[in-house]
Amino acid sequence: MAPTNKADKKATLDAAAWTFNIVTSVGIIIVNKALMASYGFSFATTLTGMHFATTTLMTLVLRWLGYIQPSHLPLPELLKFVLFANFSIVGMNVSLMWNSVGFYQIAKLSMIPVSCLLEVILDKIRYSRDTKLSILIVLLGVGVCTVTDVSVNTKGFVAAFIAVWSTSLQQYYVHYLQRKYSLGSFNLLGHTAPAQAASLLVLGPFLDYWLTSKRVDAYNYNFASLMFIFMSCTIAVGTNLSQFICIGRFTAVSFQVLGHMKTILVLIMGFFFFGKEGLNLQVVLGMVIAVCGMMWYGNASSKPGGKERRSLSLPISKQQKHSMDSTELDGKV
């Protein structure tokens, strides 16, 4: 009875983590779209810096209240993570500017095979045939949903290449650091959020000016736009935390595969809230294919041999003594 209860508890927490991530991710996309489209706040990198600054305040409050235990992350590891994460944010923004929407979506889809490659090379993961096929079905479905016109240019390809690899490395590194240093989601976020906030708030205004030819300090702030910025920053705390929780509990590949459910929900929510792009037959067909692929992936990867490690796990650091506290804290989210 005990193993069954433990498995049920894990399944419940897994579902809660995914739901938390989907709700916050879709919510922040809708809020940001309204902020940028309706109020002209097009400073995406600076806004991301604000998100991490708000997240930093959350981690400081939780540490002061005693919910985050002292932990250690070596400076070289922190710097590598921030480098990957910032290149991911900047790369995605530049890729969206320099590429067509179709090629931008293809680049985002390619993160799944890149994440698989990283797991195969670095973690010696072996995928079953069904797991591989289910991933292809997800890629096909999301591609049918989102990919329209596709045009490629050299600088756009370079930006997309940097964005894809840096994002895949950043997401892999979340899982890697949590395992190697026995860090809970709150602990890891407490280490990385301040560094990302500081670097993006310094870099963001210059990058946004380069991308938009507009200065963030010259923006006409009013009560409505400030309220949307506040909402965006508040939801971003949940988005950042839920990403770390999900990747920590699963892997970067699972996060990418099942995370495309957010793409489908954004399309549906965009139809209801903005009504500019209807759900035509192609989009609906793609959604059906993608959802079937996600269900197949969840079933295939959970079976024995569906996704298994071929070598010993990573060595555990001295912080193993904090692992139980970290696990319990994540479980409460």
Side-chain angles (χ1 to χ4, degrees), residues 70-90:
S71 60
H72 174 66
L73 181 64
L75 182 60
E77 301 277 37
L78 174 61
L79 293 178
K80 280 193 287 186
F81 177 88
V82 172
L83 182 67
F84 295 147
N86 286 357
F87 264 104
S88 169
I89 294 166
V90 174

Side-chain angles (χ1 to χ4, degrees), residues 25-42 47 228 232 266-277:
S25 298
V26 173
I28 199 170
I29 289 172
I30 298 298
V31 170
N32 285 353
K33 186 172 182 179
L35 176 63
M36 294 179 182
S38 301
Y39 297 98
F41 192 87
S42 55
L47 183 62
F228 271 94
S232 178
V266 167
L267 288 172
I268 296 173
M269 297 291 285
F271 171 74
F272 284 112
F273 280 93
F274 300 100
K276 295 179 181 178
E277 299 178 2

